[in-house]
Amino acid sequence: MSFDYYSFTGRNIGFIDEHEQQLLRQARVFVCGVGGMGGAAFMALARAGVGRFVIADIDRFEVSNLNRQVFAFADEVGREKAAVAAEAAKRINPTIEVEVLGENWTDELPGIAARCPVIVNGMDDIAAGVHLYRTAKRAEATVIDAYMSPLPSVIVVRPQDPRPEQRLGFPTLGKDWTEITDEDRRAAMRAEIEHVMLHSSSRNYVDLAIAGEVATGRRSRMSFARW
């Protein structure tokens, strides 16, 4: 097959114009975590014609990922999520540039944020998330995220906006991100779940008893297919 970027993105025009499509082609986005929310965002952005990405994920696909993660297939179980996602993106757009980072991505974050004005946070790690948001603010990068909710609840945090740890009252304020404790993580997760239950329609559709078990750490967080 002969691939042509303009044929690939031609049906975008009308929602965006030719100049905006070229901005997408030249853009570089950092996607941290390419599982559930992050994987769906990465695939959508790749199909929209974004031309350059930096991606990171320290996990491998598991059977429990198959219910919702767009790059998860039975024959990929055990493989590194970031490697699989990069391969899939290149099957969508052979001209795409994807830089895949390993476990040391947190050390490289200042440089990443300096060259990626848009960051998609697809992580579950509270401490690394605090590090990401603080670094993004210093680099004047915008972060796209989703609350800890079984239903879509996308948020956009611009450089001038308060960080989630400030807005939701995490006990992480004033702490170096490497010194955040397990109790800090649990308290931050409870604060986020409380916010979702009070301000989202999720409470009308989930088993609140199971949500309570998640909040107290007795159960893995629930997650459903996104569309």
Side-chain angles (χ1 to χ4, degrees):
M1 182 194 72
S2 177
F3 179 86
D4 173 65
Y5 182 85
Y6 297 98
S7 298
F8 164 53
T9 58
R11 294 181 69 171
N12 293 349
I13 307 306
F15 291 103
I16 60 176
D17 61 30
E18 296 280 0
H19 175 68
E20 290 168 327
Q21 186 65 64
Q22 286 306 303
L23 291 177
L24 289 177
R25 188 177 192 179
Q26 297 162 13
R28 179 180 283 110
V29 177
F30 177 41
V31 183
C32 184
V34 289
M37 177 268 190
F42 178 41
M43 184 178 71
L45 292 170
R47 291 193 183 279
V50 172
R52 297 179 292 177
F53 291 91
V54 179
I55 66 173
D57 200 310
I58 64 173
D59 292 333
R60 295 175 180 269
F61 281 116
E62 302 174 353
V63 172
S64 63
N65 301 145
L66 296 173
N67 77 322
R68 68 195 184 280
Q69 297 188 12
V70 296
F71 299 120
F73 295 90
D75 59 352
E76 301 286 15
V77 169
R79 291 196 62 203
E80 294 178 349
K81 291 182 179 181
V84 173
E87 290 170 9
K90 290 177 182 178
R91 290 172 66 193
I92 294 168
N93 174 5
T95 69
I96 204 169
E97 297 178 18
V98 184
E99 178 183 349
V100 179
L101 301 181
E103 294 185 3
N104 64 339
W105 70 265
T106 52
D107 298 329
E108 301 179 40
L109 188 54
I112 297 167
R115 57 196 176 96
C116 297
V118 175
I119 296 171
V120 177
N121 181 22
M123 293 185 295
D124 292 332
D125 188 314
I126 295 289
V130 165
H131 177 43
L132 184 148
Y133 269 102
R134 292 174 181 174
T135 305
K137 185 176 183 66
R138 290 192 291 270
E140 299 186 344
T142 293
V143 181
I144 300 171
D145 204 340
Y147 284 121
M148 190 173 292
S149 170
L151 299 176
S153 53
V154 175
I155 58 171
V156 177
V157 181
R158 297 174 177 83
Q160 70 273 18
D161 294 333
R163 309 293 90 179
E165 63 175 331
Q166 298 169 300
R167 191 157 31 82
L168 301 182
F170 289 179
T172 57
L173 284 170
K175 287 189 175 183
D176 186 278
W177 77 276
T178 60
E179 297 176 356
I180 292 173
T181 66
D182 288 342
E183 180 52 40
D184 292 333
R185 289 181 173 88
R186 287 191 290 270
M189 184 177 71
R190 288 194 296 270
E192 192 168 330
I193 291 174
E194 179 180 340
H195 177 86
V196 170
M197 291 297 103
L198 291 175
H199 301 284
S200 164
S201 61
S202 293
R203 64 184 179 277
N204 300 322
Y205 302 99
V206 302
D207 186 317
L208 296 180
I210 291 178
E213 292 180 18
V214 174
T216 56
R218 299 197 305 273
R219 187 185 186 102
S220 297
R221 60 180 291 193
M222 48 196 170
S223 190
F224 202 69
R226 295 163 171 84
W227 59 87

